[in-house]
Amino acid sequence: TDPAVIRNFCIIAHIDHGKSTLADRMLQRTGIVSERQMRAQYLDRLDIERERGITIKSQAVRMPWTVDGRAYALNMIDTPGHVDFSYEVSRSLAACEGALLLVDSSQGIEAQTLANLYMAMENDLAIIPVLNKIDLPAAQPERCADELAGLLGIDPSECLLTSAKTGEGVEELLDRIVAEVPAPAGDPNAPARAMIFDSVYDTYRGVVTYVRVVDGKLEPRRDIEMMSTKARHELQEIGVISPEPTPSQGLGVGEVGYLITGVKDVRASRVGDTVTRADAPAEEEVAGYEDPQPMVFSGIYPIDGADFPDLREALDKLRLNDAAITYEPETSVALGFGFRCGFLGLLHLEITKERLDREFGLSIIATAPSVVYEVRREDGEIVSVTNPSEFPDGKIAEIREPVVAATVLTPSDYVGAVMELCQSRRGRMNGMDYLSPERVEMRYTLPLAEIVFDFFDHLKSRTRGYASLDYHESGDQAADLVKVDILLNGDQIDAFSAIVHKDAAYAYGVRMCKRLKELIPRQQFEIPVQAAIGSRVIARQTIKALRKDMLAKCYGGDITRKRKLLEKQKEGKKRMKAIGSVEVPQEAFVAALTSD
Ligand code: GDP
Ligand code: MG
């Protein structure tokens, strides 16, 4: 295809603003999906994605569109919407020349949209502002148009009004893509270079890799090379998705499509990497490749210890299509055998837990999420801590924690509430801008650990659901952190250790002691539950001993009742965990970790 008739674009939108629905309408209008084949959210293939209404994996689809008798090829590249996947978003944007800025006209622009818009502007993409859902009675297209106009430095009339529901404005949108998105530029005679912007595991085909060709041409049945690893593979198939995969004789400058090499693990075909021809390799990668870095760690344990091998197998399978997840075996006195898993962020963790449950039928328990701390001991050794129970002993010189640059967009009525929340989470304000008299953008530096713990829920409840949040990693800072241990009868319960700010240590200790006191059944003797920093106890609760007359019930009586009782106890024993001399049913720990 002649690059002059190619248009590569993506859609930047907040969740629920109508990206998938708009994509459906475009598929229909361009005729590649017929009325009969149409199903809602055609491109969202993962079930879980469909149910949650979010897009985890991006896709690329090619649509024909004719303007003034000239046939164009429009490549729509879907971007993941959530902050956890910001590197993937950046790669999708880098594969495009234009972006639709899609805003629900009954809601206005949100923080995530703003963050992605800034990224698109940095990449010099042509931006087409689209106000969606104009069919809704609550739509306020004029107000939104003013907001976008201020943001983009354009006239409000340049905003296109659409309803992805009725299809209004969709043809005009397709025309504007052709008119306003630049055609791709690249050198057809240079060595082939294509950037990977997504890679998905398919049970039948192995890894399917989505690429955007920058220079030269990639052809089937030749060897290709992954530039970051120098790994070589035969290119078994290459083609475009329209709307199903269609093999072709190759992809040239500016084209977007998929390729298959038969590899089975997405790690062999990484987002951000450059594909070149093995016999005539390019000199330089398209852009510096970045390894995905896990930001949030959690211990994942099967509730039934017998499921441990199944859990391992499930994680092995998940890894095939999730290059960002990491895991290694760990053991906990309280929870048994499990894995310490690393995730890009909280949503990534939630999705993984849900997939383990849904796709693999596993009941699991996850310990409180933790970020990665750099602990420098007084002897100079630096330890990277992803599991609080592995916090080094001895004198500590400094602890560093990761911080994020956060953007909160809120109606101006809630500015005070947001400030209060951010301050209580150790935030530092970096600036504040009014997008309009009613909407404010607030910028903060916040410890990632503070965001990981229910920050978003608090933000939502303090702003009646109106504020939105976006953040990206922004280095680290020294902080006054301590490790709080929870002790049962003097012995540490490993899964409950936490690294918290000095000022929050007491509250954490009290909360956990109370919770465990309520959940751990009484025993023959009195058991102290304590929270401690090192050897200093900061909170204490006591589980009282069983009364004598209750114990008496267990003795005497007829023999069958006794036997039954013994059998019951044996069954129970399997799930008992010993913390020092105290036996605790595992359910108590599970409940303590899940209740909030
Ligand atoms: P996404 O999260 O951005 O992909 O949003 P979806 O396409 O899943 O849309 C979210 C919800 O808004 C769905 O219930 C859609 O049916 C609805 N929706 C999308 N576009 C429109 C529109 O133009 N008008 C109305 N009334 N509803 C819409
Ligand atoms: Mg969607």
Side-chain angles (χ1 to χ4, degrees), residues 17-18 22 102-103 105 129-136 139 141 159-173:
H17 282 204
L22 182 68
L102 181 71
V103 175
S105 60
V130 182
L131 296 175
N132 190 34
K133 306 202 188 182
I134 52 164
D135 60 290
L136 288 178
C159 295
L160 183 66
L161 305 184
T162 62
S163 165
K165 187 177 174 190
T166 66
E168 190 181 342
V170 173
E171 279 180 28
E172 199 186 327
L173 176 57

Side-chain angles (χ1 to χ4, degrees), residues 16 19-21 41 44 53-55 78:
D16 281 343
K19 183 165 78 169
S20 301
T21 314
Q41 313 206 332
D44 297 353
I54 54 171
T55 304
D78 199 7

Side-chain angles (χ1 to χ4, degrees), residues 281-342:
E283 306 240 304
E284 241 181 274
E285 294 175 49
V286 174
Y289 166 76
E290 277 176 41
D291 249 336
Q293 286 303 322
M295 300 288 283
V296 171
F297 286 79
S298 170
I300 293 195
Y301 292 84
I303 288 189
D304 183 347
D307 286 343
F308 179 75
D310 292 347
L311 177 58
R312 178 192 294 276
E313 203 173 301
L315 287 169
D316 287 344
K317 282 202 180 127
L318 280 183
R319 187 166 64 171
L320 291 177
N321 61 17
D322 184 346
I325 189 174
T326 64
Y327 54 95
E328 52 185 64
E330 74 171 4
T331 39
S332 150
V333 181
L335 301 171
F337 291 99
F339 294 92
R340 173 100 335 214
C341 302

Side-chain angles (χ1 to χ4, degrees), residues 28-41:
Q28 272 176 315
R29 263 330 135 88
T30 56
I32 62 164
V33 178
S34 70
E35 212 68 52
R36 191 175 48 81
Q37 293 167 310
M38 195 68 215
R39 51 189 163 82
Q41 313 206 332

Side-chain angles (χ1 to χ4, degrees), residues 422-433:
C422 290
Q423 263 155 28
S424 75
R425 300 301 182 99
R426 302 190 281 132
R428 272 199 325 272
M429 191 186 240
N430 300 324
M432 184 163 123
D433 284 310

Side-chain angles (χ1 to χ4, degrees), residues 9-13 19 22 26 76 98-103 113 117 125-130 173 176-177 181:
F9 71 98
C10 58
I11 306 178
I12 296 172
K19 183 165 78 169
L22 182 68
M26 290 200 269
M76 174 165 57
L100 313 184
L101 176 62
L102 181 71
V103 175
T113 328
L117 171 65
L125 303 196
I127 312 285
I128 302 178
V130 182
L173 176 57
R176 278 188 62 173
I177 292 169
V181 176

